[in-house]
Amino acid sequence: QTYPGIGRPATAKEIAAWDIDVRPDFKGLPKGSGSAEKGMEIWEGKCASCHGIFGESNEVFSPLVGGTTAEDVKTGRVARLNDVTFPGRTTLMKVPTVSTLWDYINRAMPWNAPKSLTTEEVYAVTAYLLSMAGVVPDNFVMSDANIAEVQARMPNRNGMTTDHHLWPGKSMGGKPNDVKSVACMKNCAGEPNVASFLPDFARNAHGNLAEQNRMVGAQLGADTTRPPG
Amino acid sequence: QTYPGIGRPATAKEIAAWDIDVRPDFKGLPKGSGSAEKGMEIWEGKCASCHGIFGESNEVFSPLVGGTTAEDVKTGRVARLNDVTFPGRTTLMKVPTVSTLWDYINRAMPWNAPKSLTTEEVYAVTAYLLSMAGVVPDNFVMSDANIAEVQARMPNRNGMTTDHHLWPGKSMGGKPNDVKSVACMKNCAGEPNVASFLPDFARNAHGNLAEQNRMVGAQLGADTTRPPG
Amino acid sequence: AAGAAGGAALAQSNPVPTEGGDPNILNLPAHTTGLGQPVVTDGYGKPSQYEANVQRRQSPGLTQTAQASVSFAPLQSLFGIVTPSGLHFERHHQGWWDVDPSKHRLMVNGSDEKMVKSPKVFTMDEIMRLPSVSRFHFIECGANSGMEWGNVAVPTVQYTHGMISCSEFTGVPLKIILDLCGVDTKRGRYILAEGADGSSMTRTIPMEMVEDGSVLVAYGQNGEMLRPENGYPLRLVVPGVQGVSWVKYLRRIEVGDKPYAAKDEAVHYIDLMPGGLHRQYTSIQECKSVVTTPSGGQVLLDKGFFNISGLAWSGRGKIKRVDVSVDGGRNWRTARLETPVLDRSLTRFNIDWVWDGKPALIQSRATDESGYVQPTYGELRKVRGTRSIYHNHSIQTWLVQESGEVKNVQLS
Amino acid sequence: AAGAAGGAALAQSNPVPTEGGDPNILNLPAHTTGLGQPVVTDGYGKPSQYEANVQRRQSPGLTQTAQASVSFAPLQSLFGIVTPSGLHFERHHQGWWDVDPSKHRLMVNGSDEKMVKSPKVFTMDEIMRLPSVSRFHFIECGANSGMEWGNVAVPTVQYTHGMISCSEFTGVPLKIILDLCGVDTKRGRYILAEGADGSSMTRTIPMEMVEDGSVLVAYGQNGEMLRPENGYPLRLVVPGVQGVSWVKYLRRIEVGDKPYAAKDEAVHYIDLMPGGLHRQYTSIQECKSVVTTPSGGQVLLDKGFFNISGLAWSGRGKIKRVDVSVDGGRNWRTARLETPVLDRSLTRFNIDWVWDGKPALIQSRATDESGYVQPTYGELRKVRGTRSIYHNHSIQTWLVQESGEVKNVQLS
Ligand code: HEC
Ligand code: HEC
Ligand SMILES: [Ca+2]
Ligand SMILES: [Ca+2]
Ligand SMILES: [Ca+2]
Ligand SMILES: [Ca+2]
Ligand SMILES: [Ca+2]
Ligand SMILES: [Ca+2]
Ligand SMILES: [Co+2]
Ligand SMILES: [Co+2]
């Protein structure tokens, strides 16, 4: 089947304007470099207002930096991900691939002015971000030539698996389902026991539920401005 | 299956308030009467502004009266329904059942004040309407006692059939489909000939069609403020 | 009226760029380089400003008042089978209302004292507690395409076929409500449905359709409540039957032993046959289809590939097949039917077409599961004449002119 | 915020009248004795004023900004399977835009020069000329129910499950567009989809899903164009896969030989397992269901009959069965499934229940056509722990208290 009249060849210039993605194998990464020192300037001018001076803010988003150790840089596994008492997870605790940071900052940051950074600025600020976490030295100059070495120091680079059943198709994983249940119909479980519920003081925390249900219906909304009935 | 807690018995008063329908066999018709003379007063006060002094207006709706003859009153078939040159069809040319008029005037007229007429007024104005068409005399007093006689004079009382295939179920009609076609696939019809189309002067009669189609699409709307291209 | 962004369409070209590229690609737009709007800008969202041309419309001169009138759905701009509720066609006889659902009641009674054992009153709360079903059905006015019985009268598919819409309705099978009241179904072979608006619209419906479970007392339409224009908070759903029977603002169901000859079944919605006899109680909407793209009033900007798309439906069940002709009915190809193909619902069909730039006459022809084949105007008029107003379900023809402009035509 | 008519619900009683009848019946309301509003009061209509409580809402405190946030669909008030487009859940990462469709372009290219024979640019006009399909599919955020992984966090089904919606999507199978460009599908086993908004969202999608025809380049949603909040004028439809992959404002498709590890597949939408390892590229939304009525934050005003109603879905195909328990999972009955039951679509279920006024624990459990059974929290957490955020598809429990009030609870 052909489709005469539909579509036309993309020009090289057009592809260059839009094909900005950078893959884990660095395909798509433009040549260039930027220093962590320059990155600090950019960070403080264009990023810190939202992410905090040390990337620690959770004012507009969860912290970018924190929770990784020198040991993690060696092992490639962020140990605190296994610490259930550690609150929250920072970006650097999770991200396995430095390309992801580069690509995302390049396409989407600063949040209110995406795609406004030069290639040098993206290298620089990425380097600075990593330097805050001790992944690269404070005077590091990151470039297309040495980015693979940075990758080899990413704290959570070994922290991912694709060995599961939730990827469609055969290109990854392909494991059978991990969770098993059976559709028992009669006398299935023990006496049910309520283990978790909202405390009464949180009753109105999502607003008055009477105003979040239709005026008529099989059930109406509970007036949560009043004590439970 | 029972449905505990759902619904409650309707009271006699409630049923009386809402059960206002009147059937062709006059089930539902309240006792009472009204004169065509009184009906004329009501008509001129409450109906003529929309329907015209003689029920002939088509200002707000098609004419109610006209097109029936004394001969039709005898035969019960409105002859002009078979006259393709006669423009339009009035209510009295079509309506086979006097109950229909009574019921509808009672439930829905005057249009801007439905259900405001008394039972006497409905009898009266219905009688007047029919008197304008010569179905009943000008001094007729219509009542529940003589309405069957009026029915026997309705000009189109024999003008209906239920002998067709478009009623679901078996309580009427039940005929097989009247129109027959076959799904021919190849070399089916003769050379097609366009027999009817909109004249160019009517091109913009429904407004500019460019503004009646989406801005993007497989086809766009024609700019009908311009001559055909 | 169309907003600023919704004016006349601009021909959009996609030329091979001479200067290296399309400025819409090379110069990144504001939305690619800025921060957009927050969530819940609208707690209940609206279409894009660029969709302002997609509106329901009145046909100029068709009716004398706007409260006893109709507005047509813009079929030329719709996709799939679901009609957006905001674009659902309207037909009012005495205007529409936004009825307070907490005060709305449904009554069930009998035409005589023995017909219903226990006449009952229900609140909306109670109706919504009963077993509910959800089903997709089309609703078509019996007068849809009525303006075209004699000859071509209107330019676009909005006006030729726009008195049809299709929604997912949710409600209670009327049978459940009648069972609850105790009905003598031996004598009570008819139902009268009555609305609460000024017209208090009444229509007779056969008990068979209640007994087979297809008649619903519906409150839901496309996931939310019915729209006020469509009978909020309660309307009857009578699948396959003309829209006037789908009584809006439903306040009462009466079970009776005889039909009621209401105004809209004794004066209107009666089909004038050759010879001057009218057919009464013509309820079922017959098998029908129409190509919605390309369709009248549109312009093809180019030769080349096009997707011909349209809608098919039947009041007698599922659509079995749709054939499409581009040569005025001489030769036909069978179109793809989109799934799901449902009972008394719209079915969307699509078929490939390469336009060579010469005049073309596009038609579609549906066949339903009863085996009934949608007729040509010739076949239909031979039996039913040209003055019926109702139940025009003829094959529609669109003429694609060399200029690319598409016209509504009828063939002899 | 709710309008005047949309305030707190008033308990509506239907007492046996002492004085002869209900005043709502005996005193005819204004709408029964007056003339209503004209057709086309709104060329594009709105819900009733009495429906003002039915809104999408943010969950207080969930996100720190409203442009990188989510609004939840009010499942407690919805019927059937179609989500009204105005109530479709929202998820933006850098705000939403109303993009001019006449300037929007779609580009197809390859990760290297050999991957795509002829990289191409398409206008919207051109895309809409290609063969189109219409299909019902659910879209669920991978983080839906994520707040509840550890314990009960929110009161109503709007917040527990409201990041799901279901629409009829219309568009072009991506396979057709790729075929048109000539793709090396031997090497090119991945697709990168990219949006045109500030985030220029990118996600990797397996070529298998393109090849089997299920991935669509969609412009239509529920009969009209996509809403701006949902990607107008073009979004990818990736049935059964989490919402973040359904890239909005779609501007580019790249064919590649490796996955891309985009921010939302290497930092988010990764599932933290016990032991600290994350699962990456967890795309499929597993078999899941929830009772929407009665549900958390509602009140049953009476004992007696109720219709339990809910939604079931699976990213692996059709729903085969839904069971419902009212005793916290000890005993189950199989619910009625409303038709149509479609592939990777919502399915509505209903089942009768007579409430005796004693505390009840209501649950639903779906099984899909792959045979997978929706697990309990115990079964799920045993394997995946409590910190995953994503893919919580556990059985939901609602506690009906003696007072009639319904609470969100988790059982041990
Ligand atoms: C106006 C506020 C703002 C500014 C300025 C800003 N960011 Fe962000 N940033 C955000 C928000 C909000 C997100 C989360 C976006 C989302 O949800 O997809 C984010 C996400 C990120 C992320 C991904 C974190 C994650 O875990 O997903 C990185 C990396 C980042 N920003 C780096 C930067 C850099 C570098 C700069 C400056 C060049 C910058 N940001 C400027 C608000 C901002
Ligand atoms: C304000 C205008 C108005 C007034 C006043 C009015 N009518 Fe009407 N009447 C209408 C309209 C409009 C219709 C058509 C309604 C519809 O389409 O269902 C109509 C329909 C009718 C019909 C049915 C005609 C048909 O063929 O369907 C009858 C009979 C009728 N009116 C009688 C009366 C009587 C009797 C009165 C006075 C007591 C009256 N009307 C007052 C506007 C009016
Ligand atoms: Ca072209
Ligand atoms: Ca440092
Ligand atoms: Ca009750
Ligand atoms: Ca006279
Ligand atoms: Ca009666
Ligand atoms: Ca690339
Ligand atoms: Co009609
Ligand atoms: Co999400």
Side-chain angles (χ1 to χ4, degrees):
Chain A
Q1 175 82 56
T2 61
Y3 303 97
I6 314 273
R8 59 140 181 96
T11 68
K13 228 169 153 180
E14 288 173 333
I15 296 175
W18 279 11
D19 180 6
I20 59 171
D21 61 86
V22 180
R23 291 199 316 204
D25 63 357
F26 308 119
K27 184 149 265 175
L29 183 70
K31 284 197 195 315
S33 68
S35 68
E37 276 139 357
K38 167 137 200 206
M40 183 170 94
E41 271 171 50
I42 299 160
W43 181 264
E44 287 172 4
K46 297 186 173 178
C47 319
S49 62
C50 289
H51 292 293
I53 290 282
F54 307 107
E56 83 298 351
S57 169
N58 59 5
E59 295 278 298
V60 306
F61 198 65
S62 34
L64 304 193
V65 181
T68 61
T69 64
E71 182 63 17
D72 297 344
V73 170
K74 283 192 207 144
T75 60
R77 287 289 301 270
V78 171
R80 282 212 173 99
L81 288 174
N82 204 16
D83 178 356
V84 289
T85 66
F86 192 80
R89 284 173 268 164
T90 67
T91 306
L92 288 188
M93 285 171 70
K94 293 184 287 175
V95 64
T97 33
V98 63
S99 66
T100 303
L101 289 178
W102 204 103
D103 173 87
Y104 180 67
I105 293 169
N106 183 52
R107 72 171 57 244
M109 287 295 134
W111 200 45
N112 47 359
K115 303 176 192 68
S116 63
L117 302 180
T118 64
T119 297
E120 184 192 357
E121 288 175 322
V122 177
Y123 274 111
V125 80
T126 306
Y128 180 64
L129 202 55
L130 292 168
S131 79
M132 284 195 277
V135 177
V136 300
D138 290 1
N139 60 357
F140 191 68
V141 179
M142 187 159 124
S143 70
D144 57 294
N146 65 15
I147 196 167
E149 293 155 37
V150 179
Q151 176 59 40
R153 294 176 55 81
M154 291 296 284
N156 201 39
R157 64 187 176 280
N158 299 323
M160 295 285 163
T161 177
T162 60
D163 201 18
H164 54 73
H165 59 295
L166 292 181
W167 175 252
K170 293 176 185 160
S171 44
M172 301 182 207
K175 277 279 175 69
N177 236 312
D178 54 354
V179 179
K180 306 265 179 245
S181 185
V182 280
C184 165
M185 295 301 286
K186 280 214 151 22
N187 303 314
C188 303
E191 188 68 38
N193 185 30
V194 172
S196 177
F197 56 92
L198 284 182
D200 275 350
F201 69 76
R203 186 170 165 69
N204 203 38
H206 278 69
N208 187 354
L209 301 182
E211 292 170 2
Q212 301 184 21
N213 279 272
R214 175 172 290 122
M215 281 177 70
V216 294
Q219 301 87 29
L220 306 183
D223 183 349
T224 49
T225 63
R226 300 180 182 198
Chain B
Q1 174 82 56
T2 61
Y3 303 98
I6 314 272
R8 59 141 181 95
T11 68
K13 229 169 150 180
E14 288 172 333
I15 296 176
W18 280 10
D19 180 7
I20 58 170
D21 61 85
V22 180
R23 290 199 316 205
D25 63 357
F26 308 119
K27 184 149 263 176
L29 183 70
K31 283 196 194 318
S33 69
S35 68
E37 275 140 357
K38 169 143 197 198
M40 182 170 94
E41 270 170 50
I42 299 159
W43 181 264
E44 286 173 4
K46 297 185 173 178
C47 318
S49 62
C50 290
H51 291 294
I53 291 282
F54 308 107
E56 82 297 349
S57 170
N58 59 5
E59 295 277 298
V60 306
F61 198 64
S62 34
L64 304 192
V65 181
T68 61
T69 65
E71 182 64 18
D72 297 345
V73 170
K74 282 191 208 145
T75 60
R77 286 291 300 273
V78 171
R80 281 209 174 101
L81 287 174
N82 203 15
D83 177 358
V84 291
T85 67
F86 192 81
R89 284 174 269 164
T90 68
T91 305
L92 289 188
M93 284 171 72
K94 293 184 286 175
V95 64
T97 33
V98 64
S99 66
T100 302
L101 290 178
W102 204 103
D103 173 88
Y104 180 66
I105 293 169
N106 182 53
R107 72 172 56 244
M109 288 295 134
W111 199 44
N112 47 359
K115 302 177 193 69
S116 63
L117 301 181
T118 65
T119 296
E120 184 191 358
E121 289 174 320
V122 178
Y123 274 111
V125 80
T126 306
Y128 181 65
L129 202 55
L130 293 168
S131 79
M132 285 195 275
V135 176
V136 300
D138 290 1
N139 61 356
F140 190 67
V141 179
M142 186 160 123
S143 71
D144 57 294
N146 66 13
I147 196 167
E149 293 155 36
V150 177
Q151 175 59 41
R153 294 176 56 82
M154 292 295 284
N156 202 39
R157 65 187 176 280
N158 299 323
M160 294 286 161
T161 178
T162 61
D163 201 18
H164 55 73
H165 59 294
L166 292 181
W167 175 253
K170 293 178 186 158
S171 44
M172 300 182 207
K175 278 278 175 70
N177 236 313
D178 54 354
V179 179
K180 307 266 179 246
S181 185
V182 280
C184 165
M185 296 301 284
K186 278 212 154 23
N187 303 315
C188 304
E191 188 67 39
N193 184 29
V194 171
S196 177
F197 57 92
L198 284 182
D200 274 351
F201 69 76
R203 188 170 164 69
N204 203 38
H206 279 70
N208 187 354
L209 301 181
E211 291 170 3
Q212 300 184 23
N213 278 272
R214 176 172 289 122
M215 282 178 69
V216 293
Q219 299 87 31
L220 305 183
D223 183 348
T224 49
T225 62
R226 300 181 182 197
Chain C
L10 293 170
Q12 215 195 306
S13 57
N14 189 13
V16 180
T18 44
E19 325 225 332
D22 182 340
N24 294 304
I25 295 175
L26 300 187
N27 312 328
L28 297 183
H31 55 264
T32 305
T33 58
L35 180 59
Q37 296 201 61
V39 293
V40 209
T41 303
D42 296 297
Y44 191 96
K46 323 179 275 294
S48 161
Q49 59 173 315
Y50 301 105
E51 295 296 302
N53 288 351
V54 184
Q55 302 260 329
R56 47 192 180 196
R57 295 184 171 85
Q58 279 188 278
S59 181
L62 179 62
T63 54
Q64 296 95 322
T65 75
Q67 291 97 340
S69 189
V70 57
S71 77
F72 296 81
L75 301 187
Q76 70 275 22
S77 302
L78 302 188
F79 311 116
I81 62 170
V82 172
T83 308
S85 295
L87 296 172
H88 196 291
F89 86 89
E90 295 171 276
R91 176 76 173 108
H92 315 305
H93 285 270
Q94 217 134 333
W96 65 270
W97 293 85
D98 193 3
V99 172
D100 183 343
S102 67
K103 299 186 174 147
H104 189 74
R105 302 289 181 267
L106 176 69
M107 180 188 288
V108 174
N109 70 293
S111 62
D112 60 47
E113 308 242 305
K114 287 181 197 144
M115 195 62 82
V116 172
K117 203 178 286 172
S118 167
K120 282 208 156 78
V121 168
F122 302 87
T123 62
M124 284 301 299
D125 289 353
E126 289 173 324
I127 290 166
M128 293 170 85
R129 282 170 57 181
L130 286 170
S132 103
V133 301
S134 297
R135 290 178 197 152
F136 290 86
H137 288 301
F138 75 82
I139 169 171
E140 183 184 19
C141 179
N144 200 20
S145 314
M147 292 182 276
E148 302 261 312
W149 257 111
N151 44 43
V152 166
V154 291
T156 74
V157 72
Q158 179 158 19
Y159 306 110
T160 59
H161 289 76
M163 286 200 268
I164 191 162
S165 295
C166 182
S167 305
E168 185 187 28
F169 292 98
T170 295
V172 185
L174 175 56
K175 182 173 169 26
I176 285 178
I177 294 176
L178 295 192
D179 284 353
L180 209 149
C181 300
V183 170
D184 179 353
T185 52
K186 215 157 189 176
R187 284 174 59 235
R189 300 313 299 159
Y190 300 92
I191 292 294
L192 183 76
E194 181 179 86
D197 61 333
S199 76
S200 295
M201 173 66 68
T202 41
R203 285 283 303 196
T204 307
I205 290 140
M207 185 59 96
E208 283 101 323
M209 284 194 71
V210 178
E211 288 171 326
D212 74 14
S214 50
V215 177
L216 307 181
V217 172
Y219 42 82
Q221 178 180 336
N222 290 339
E224 60 192 0
M225 288 289 278
L226 294 160
R227 292 295 177 83
E229 297 93 323
N230 305 122
Y232 181 87
L234 211 59
R235 94 176 298 172
L236 206 65
V237 166
V238 193
V241 165
Q242 58 190 334
V244 64
S245 294
W246 298 42
V247 171
K248 299 193 283 191
Y249 320 107
L250 183 72
R251 77 169 189 181
R252 192 169 68 94
I253 297 286
E254 174 167 308
V255 180
D257 54 349
K258 294 210 173 123
Y260 287 81
K263 181 265 260 177
D264 283 307
E265 51 200 24
V267 186
H268 305 281
Y269 303 93
I270 53 174
D271 306 17
L272 181 57
M273 293 295 109
L277 204 63
H278 280 99
R279 288 183 175 169
Q280 201 178 3
Y281 300 109
T282 49
S283 299
I284 295 172
Q285 295 299 108
E286 295 165 277
C287 184
K288 189 168 169 182
S289 72
V290 66
V291 169
T292 55
T293 165
S295 61
Q298 297 187 328
V299 185
L300 282 63
L301 301 177
D302 247 341
K303 302 176 197 184
F305 186 88
F306 286 86
N307 178 59
I308 294 178
S309 187
L311 293 166
W313 62 95
S314 168
R316 289 209 165 81
K318 293 183 187 175
I319 287 297
K320 199 170 72 187
R321 202 176 91 198
V322 178
D323 304 314
V324 170
S325 169
V326 294
D327 62 2
R330 298 195 94 174
N331 296 286
W332 299 81
R333 288 179 302 142
T334 298
R336 304 187 308 277
L337 304 186
E338 295 303 313
T339 52
V341 175
L342 298 168
D343 180 21
R344 293 169 289 184
S345 168
L346 290 188
T347 296
R348 172 65 62 176
F349 64 87
N350 288 291
I351 192 168
D352 298 351
W353 180 47
V354 177
W355 185 46
D356 58 8
K358 300 206 191 98
L361 290 161
I362 301 185
Q363 303 183 326
S364 66
R365 179 185 65 199
T367 303
D368 68 20
E369 60 177 337
S370 81
Y372 183 75
V373 178
Q374 185 184 4
T376 63
Y377 267 108
E379 289 164 333
L380 185 63
R381 288 175 180 151
K382 205 172 68 190
V383 181
R384 302 203 197 153
T386 59
R387 296 182 300 151
S388 166
I389 298 182
Y390 304 100
H391 301 293
N392 176 3
H393 62 297
S394 169
I395 289 171
Q396 167 71 41
T397 309
W398 304 118
L399 165 64
V400 182
Q401 298 176 304
E402 259 171 284
S403 65
E405 207 171 309
V406 186
K407 292 263 171 77
N408 178 14
V409 300
Q410 292 183 5
L411 305 183
S412 64
Chain D
L10 293 170
Q12 215 194 307
S13 57
N14 189 13
V16 180
T18 45
E19 325 224 332
D22 183 339
N24 294 304
I25 295 174
L26 300 187
N27 311 329
L28 297 184
H31 55 265
T32 304
T33 58
L35 179 61
Q37 297 201 61
V39 294
V40 208
T41 303
D42 296 297
Y44 191 96
K46 325 179 275 293
S48 161
Q49 59 173 315
Y50 301 105
E51 295 296 302
N53 287 351
V54 183
Q55 301 261 329
R56 46 191 180 197
R57 294 183 171 84
Q58 280 188 277
S59 181
L62 178 63
T63 54
Q64 298 95 321
T65 74
Q67 292 97 339
S69 189
V70 57
S71 77
F72 296 82
L75 301 188
Q76 69 276 21
S77 302
L78 302 188
F79 311 115
I81 62 171
V82 172
T83 308
S85 296
L87 297 171
H88 195 291
F89 86 90
E90 294 171 276
R91 176 77 174 105
H92 315 305
H93 286 270
Q94 218 135 332
W96 64 271
W97 293 85
D98 193 3
V99 171
D100 183 343
S102 66
K103 299 185 174 147
H104 189 74
R105 301 288 179 267
L106 176 69
M107 179 188 287
V108 174
N109 70 293
S111 63
D112 59 47
E113 309 242 304
K114 288 181 197 145
M115 195 63 83
V116 172
K117 203 179 288 172
S118 168
K120 282 209 156 77
V121 168
F122 302 87
T123 62
M124 283 302 298
D125 289 353
E126 289 173 324
I127 290 166
M128 293 170 84
R129 282 171 57 180
L130 286 170
S132 104
V133 301
S134 297
R135 291 177 196 153
F136 289 86
H137 288 300
F138 76 82
I139 169 170
E140 183 183 20
C141 179
N144 199 21
S145 314
M147 290 182 276
E148 303 261 311
W149 256 111
N151 44 42
V152 167
V154 291
T156 73
V157 72
Q158 179 158 20
Y159 306 110
T160 58
H161 289 76
M163 285 200 266
I164 190 163
S165 295
C166 182
S167 306
E168 184 186 28
F169 292 98
T170 296
V172 184
L174 176 56
K175 183 173 168 26
I176 285 179
I177 295 176
L178 294 192
D179 284 352
L180 207 150
C181 300
V183 169
D184 179 353
T185 53
K186 214 155 191 176
R187 285 174 58 233
R189 299 311 300 159
Y190 300 91
I191 291 296
L192 182 76
E194 181 178 86
D197 60 334
S199 76
S200 296
M201 174 66 68
T202 41
R203 284 283 303 195
T204 307
I205 290 140
M207 185 59 96
E208 283 101 323
M209 285 194 70
V210 178
E211 288 171 326
D212 74 14
S214 51
V215 177
L216 308 182
V217 173
Y219 42 82
Q221 179 179 336
N222 291 339
E224 60 192 0
M225 288 290 279
L226 294 161
R227 291 295 176 84
E229 298 92 323
N230 304 122
Y232 182 88
L234 211 58
R235 94 175 298 173
L236 206 66
V237 166
V238 193
V241 165
Q242 58 189 333
V244 65
S245 294
W246 298 42
V247 171
K248 298 192 284 190
Y249 320 107
L250 183 72
R251 75 169 189 181
R252 192 169 68 94
I253 297 286
E254 176 167 307
V255 180
D257 54 350
K258 292 209 173 125
Y260 287 81
K263 181 265 261 177
D264 282 307
E265 51 199 25
V267 187
H268 305 281
Y269 304 92
I270 54 174
D271 306 18
L272 182 55
M273 293 294 109
L277 204 61
H278 280 98
R279 288 183 175 170
Q280 200 178 4
Y281 300 108
T282 48
S283 300
I284 295 173
Q285 296 299 107
E286 294 165 278
C287 184
K288 189 168 170 182
S289 71
V290 66
V291 169
T292 56
T293 165
S295 61
Q298 296 186 329
V299 185
L300 282 62
L301 300 178
D302 248 342
K303 302 176 196 184
F305 186 89
F306 285 88
N307 178 58
I308 295 178
S309 187
L311 293 166
W313 62 95
S314 168
R316 288 209 166 81
K318 293 184 187 174
I319 288 297
K320 198 170 73 187
R321 201 176 90 196
V322 178
D323 304 313
V324 170
S325 170
V326 294
D327 63 1
R330 298 195 94 174
N331 296 287
W332 299 81
R333 288 179 301 142
T334 298
R336 303 187 308 275
L337 304 184
E338 296 303 312
T339 51
V341 175
L342 298 168
D343 179 23
R344 293 169 289 185
S345 168
L346 290 189
T347 296
R348 171 65 61 175
F349 65 86
N350 288 291
I351 191 168
D352 298 352
W353 180 47
V354 177
W355 185 45
D356 58 8
K358 301 206 192 98
L361 290 160
I362 301 184
Q363 302 184 325
S364 66
R365 179 185 64 199
T367 303
D368 68 19
E369 61 177 337
S370 82
Y372 184 73
V373 178
Q374 184 183 5
T376 63
Y377 267 109
E379 289 164 333
L380 185 64
R381 287 173 179 151
K382 203 171 69 188
V383 181
R384 304 203 197 153
T386 59
R387 298 183 298 153
S388 168
I389 298 182
Y390 303 100
H391 301 293
N392 176 3
H393 62 296
S394 170
I395 289 171
Q396 167 71 39
T397 309
W398 305 116
L399 166 63
V400 181
Q401 298 177 305
E402 259 171 287
S403 65
E405 207 171 308
V406 187
K407 292 264 172 76
N408 178 14
V409 300
Q410 293 184 3
L411 305 182
S412 65

